[in-house]
Amino acid sequence: GIQPFSLFGMVKGLAGRYEVGEDGGLEALAASVQVELEKEVGKNRVKVCCLPSTGWDPAPDNDDDRQLPIIHSMDRAFVVEAAEGTTLTDVAKFGTSENCDVLGEYLECACAGIMACSTCHVVIHPDWYDATGIPADGNCDSNGAGDSNPTDRKNKIQPPSEAELDMIDLAYEPQVTSRLGCQIKLTKELDGLVVLLPRGSNNLMDFVPFE
């Protein structure tokens, strides 16, 4: 078998600089194992409708912090699918279903999901924000757009914690319904969730002198 000291060296090499998302393959290996385990236990699949920046505009830049983003077209929305319990960031980085690679082009996820950056910043559709709604039907239409006026929802996305909000404040054009993808864990109640993808990102990791 593998000697303990050899195993430690292998794991250490795979880990790399995990704190800045520069591992040597350990994260990808763990993700692939997780995917296989999810298949075995038969977890529910959750659909998320993603709307690029061409379909919405940020809230007007004024002193009213209650202004919501403006959705003007769902024509460009696309759908990703993942097992419940997966974070939106993991869907973008390791998802294997259709369009997960497309989502990965929009979300950079520079810090490996430890909430040390804002590059997985997304904006939640106002109809899905805050846990005060009633049960959801969670369906997406044939164009990949979520129900923009849901009336039956079991759950909604809650506001961020103070720690998450500190990171969101550094994000590109943060909105009142902004969240970090690494903090959004998909549940069966969130099936059909609609997220708005910002037109850019601020990666502060680019300016940290790690060397």
Side-chain angles (χ1 to χ4, degrees):
I2 300 176
Q3 296 297 319
F5 64 86
S6 299
L7 182 61
F8 175 75
M10 181 182 69
V11 172
K12 185 177 180 180
L14 284 170
R17 300 196 304 171
Y18 63 89
E19 71 279 4
V20 293
E22 295 182 4
D23 69 359
L26 183 61
E27 188 179 17
L29 176 62
S32 65
V33 172
Q34 183 66 32
V35 168
E36 293 304 314
L37 289 175
E38 288 167 352
K39 290 179 180 178
E40 290 184 10
V41 300
K43 285 190 174 182
N44 292 314
R45 305 294 290 179
V46 180
K47 291 181 179 179
V48 179
C49 303
C50 307
L51 181 64
S53 59
T54 53
W56 67 281
D57 290 315
D61 187 11
N62 55 37
D63 295 332
D64 187 355
D65 59 5
R66 295 169 300 177
Q67 290 280 353
L68 296 172
I70 302 168
I71 292 85
H72 53 76
S73 174
M74 294 295 292
D75 292 343
R76 298 288 300 277
F78 60 90
V79 177
V80 296
E81 185 177 294
E84 61 177 323
T86 307
T87 67
L88 194 59
T89 291
D90 285 343
V91 177
K93 295 181 69 175
F94 308 116
T96 57
S97 65
E98 185 178 5
N99 293 324
C100 287
D101 57 335
V102 179
L103 179 61
E105 294 176 3
Y106 286 94
L107 301 185
E108 186 176 351
C109 310
C111 76
I114 60 173
M115 207 167 66
C117 75
S118 63
T119 59
C120 64
H121 167 230
V122 296
V123 179
I124 305 302
H125 190 294
D127 289 340
W128 279 96
Y129 191 75
D130 204 348
T132 57
I134 51 181
D137 57 17
N139 291 324
C140 297
D141 65 23
S142 59
N143 291 323
D147 180 2
S148 61
N149 187 27
T151 56
D152 298 316
R153 292 214 155 106
K154 292 181 181 178
N155 201 1
K156 291 187 178 182
I157 298 293
Q158 299 179 14
S161 65
E162 287 296 325
E164 183 181 349
L165 193 57
D166 287 342
M167 286 291 104
I168 290 175
D169 286 341
L170 303 175
Y172 183 88
E173 294 186 339
Q175 303 293 297
V176 68
T177 62
S178 286
R179 290 294 308 270
L180 297 181
C182 63
Q183 301 303 302
I184 299 175
K185 185 170 289 189
L186 301 180
T187 64
K188 62 181 180 180
E189 289 82 11
L190 293 177
D191 190 31
L193 171 68
V194 181
V195 298
L196 316 179
L197 304 175
R199 59 175 51 90
S201 66
N202 293 335
N203 186 2
L204 298 182
M205 292 290 185
D206 290 340
F207 304 99
V208 178
F210 290 105
E211 297 297 336

